[in-house]
Amino acid sequence: MPLKTVICIGMAGSGKTTFMQRLNSHMRSKKNPPYVINLDPAVLKVPYGANIDIRDSIKYKKVMENYGLGPNGAIVTSLNLFSTKIDQLIKLVENKRDKLEHCIVDTPGQIECFVWSASGSIITESFASTFPTVIAYIVDTPRNSSPTTFMSNMLYACSILYKTKLPMILVFNKTDVCNADFAKEWMTDFEAFQTALRDDQELNGNSGLGSGYMGSLINSMSLMLEEFYSQLDMVSVSSFTGQGFDDFLNVVNNGKINEYDEYYKVERERVLKLKEEKEKQRKDKSLEGLMNDLGINDKKKPKSEDDSAEVLSDLEEGEDDGLVVPDEFEDSEREYTFASGDRTQGEINAQNAPGLQKAYQEAANRVGKSANSETAENIARYLRQ
């Protein structure tokens, strides 16, 4: 079976780290230990043994001192530095693919530092492109007993879902303190949430958060989130007692992994194919432009066989060794300017023009004598010098 990855995300104080510790111990009790990764650089101690800990390679306080950053800025910078080695991290996890079934990842408590940063996207997409990946959104159940706070948390969960586009499980934690049945009822019954909202308005009066404009806004958003709730699985757990973790693992193994294969994986392959096609079109267009600039691929002027030759040696020699006789001269007879049409009669020689030949000979002799005398004088002048 493929190694499944669970990325735990939640608000500060929602019990994320405790949830990780209980999930780790629960899996080990089932003889199915997970591969544990800690990505929170600012935590002092973790209650579980991590196979990979960001604190081993990134020193949070040194990042603050060297870059002059505050707490949140140092967390983002630490994640940025760590994400440059994400390929090595993925390779280490891949080596455990045949031995382990799950990989669980703990993220920083400052949720915006991970979810909305470039490094968080790189880490999440790297896992999701290699392993079936599920987002576990941890919710603090006692703090969400108010309809206003509950709606704020659901909107944040909705934004994370559409940001990561990965299967998500809403994990209502701390059920040993407050039962999460009210949350399940609000998510499945719109009228029950409306009743709770009206009760909250009456309880707080006109000065409360649930009154006035805020109440009207929450009422409208609850209608919008009805479709969002239908795509989620909700699980209530207690990290203190260990209650509900069997239900959580059942949803991960049977429900969300199938959802990953059916939706996310298919969508990712479609996007990658579309990206490859666009890249191919861009390369073809760039190559076509280059060839047009070089005059190699001129579509307006059809190329002949001779135009396709790039160098002179590409032209094959014919019977005439490159000499081409114009068509209009191939069959025509040669014309002469002599009086007689006989070519032999038109030639000048000693038989038909003896006087002209004698005159030519005398002129040649005179030129030769003058040239010889001039050459002799030049030699004598040179010797006297």
Side-chain angles (χ1 to χ4, degrees), residues 81-335:
L81 295 173
F82 188 77
S83 64
T84 59
K85 305 296 183 181
I86 187 62
D87 57 331
Q88 299 180 15
L89 173 63
I90 296 298
K91 188 177 296 184
L92 290 173
V93 180
E94 279 187 322
N95 293 335
K96 303 294 183 179
R97 185 192 296 267
D98 298 331
K99 300 179 181 179
L100 302 178
E101 187 177 347
H102 295 89
C103 173
I104 57 177
V105 183
D106 192 10
T107 58
Q110 289 73 9
I111 188 172
E112 67 279 358
C113 296
F114 181 81
V115 174
W116 304 112
S117 64
S119 56
S121 299
I122 292 172
I123 294 171
T124 303
E125 293 175 4
S126 298
F127 274 104
S129 61
T130 310
F131 314 102
T133 304
V134 177
I135 300 294
Y137 185 72
I138 315 300
V139 180
D140 188 348
T141 304
R143 292 184 181 180
N144 283 268
S145 57
S146 168
T148 305
T149 308
F150 175 82
M151 183 56 59
S152 300
N153 226 317
M154 293 302 101
L155 286 175
Y156 213 109
C158 181
S159 65
I160 294 175
L161 175 66
Y162 287 104
K163 176 70 168 59
T164 60
K165 298 182 177 62
L166 289 170
M168 176 181 286
I169 304 174
L170 289 178
V171 182
F172 284 85
N173 195 17
K174 303 181 183 180
T175 54
D176 57 296
V177 178
C178 177
N179 197 298
D181 291 341
F182 72 92
K184 186 176 182 179
E185 184 180 11
W186 289 353
M187 292 173 64
T188 55
D189 189 351
F190 172 75
E191 294 182 356
F193 182 80
Q194 294 294 313
T195 302
L197 184 62
R198 286 194 299 268
D199 294 341
D200 187 65
Q201 290 177 350
E202 295 175 359
L203 179 64
N204 292 283
N206 294 329
S207 60
L209 293 175
S211 61
Y213 173 76
M214 181 63 72
S216 177
L217 178 62
I218 294 174
N219 187 24
S220 301
M221 287 189 297
S222 62
L223 290 172
M224 182 270 295
L225 290 179
E226 187 175 1
E227 181 65 23
F228 167 69
Y229 295 146
S230 64
Q231 303 298 322
L232 296 179
D233 285 300
M234 177 261 189
V235 178
S236 58
V237 301
S238 172
S239 299
F240 181 73
T241 63
Q243 179 185 0
F245 278 86
D246 286 329
D247 297 335
F248 173 78
L249 290 176
N250 184 53
V251 172
V252 170
N253 296 330
N254 299 326
K256 290 305 176 179
I257 296 304
N258 295 333
E259 183 179 330
Y260 169 88
D261 295 332
E262 184 177 357
Y263 295 104
Y264 178 83
K265 189 176 181 180
V266 173
E267 178 67 14
R268 180 176 180 273
E269 291 175 353
R270 185 191 67 81
V271 171
L272 290 178
K273 185 177 180 180
L274 181 62
K275 185 177 180 180
E276 290 177 358
E277 292 177 354
K278 289 183 178 180
E279 182 66 16
K280 183 179 179 181
Q281 293 176 0
R282 185 192 66 81
K283 289 182 179 179
D284 292 342
K285 185 177 180 180
S286 178
L287 180 60
E288 181 180 352
L290 176 61
M291 296 181 71
N292 288 335
D293 293 340
L294 297 176
I296 299 175
N297 186 22
D298 190 2
K299 293 184 178 181
K300 296 181 180 180
K301 179 182 177 183
K303 297 193 298 181
S304 62
E305 293 182 0
D306 293 340
D307 293 337
S308 63
E310 297 183 359
V311 294
L312 187 60
S313 60
D314 292 339
L315 294 171
E316 296 182 359
E317 295 183 355
E319 297 178 356
D320 298 321
D321 295 335
L323 299 178
V324 181
V325 181
D327 296 337
E328 60 268 23
F329 295 143
E330 287 182 354
D331 299 330
S332 62
E333 296 182 358
R334 181 174 181 181
E335 298 180 358

Side-chain angles (χ1 to χ4, degrees), residues 26 210 219 367:
H26 183 79
N219 187 24
V367 173

Side-chain angles (χ1 to χ4, degrees), residues 56-71:
D56 295 336
S57 55
I58 306 295
K59 303 302 179 184
Y60 174 72
K61 291 185 178 180
K62 290 292 182 181
V63 171
M64 292 182 65
E65 295 174 1
N66 294 338
Y67 295 97
L69 300 172

Side-chain angles (χ1 to χ4, degrees), residues 339-352:
S340 174
D342 189 0
R343 180 178 178 182
T344 58
Q345 295 295 328
E347 295 177 356
I348 300 175
N349 50 42
Q351 284 75 20
N352 57 18

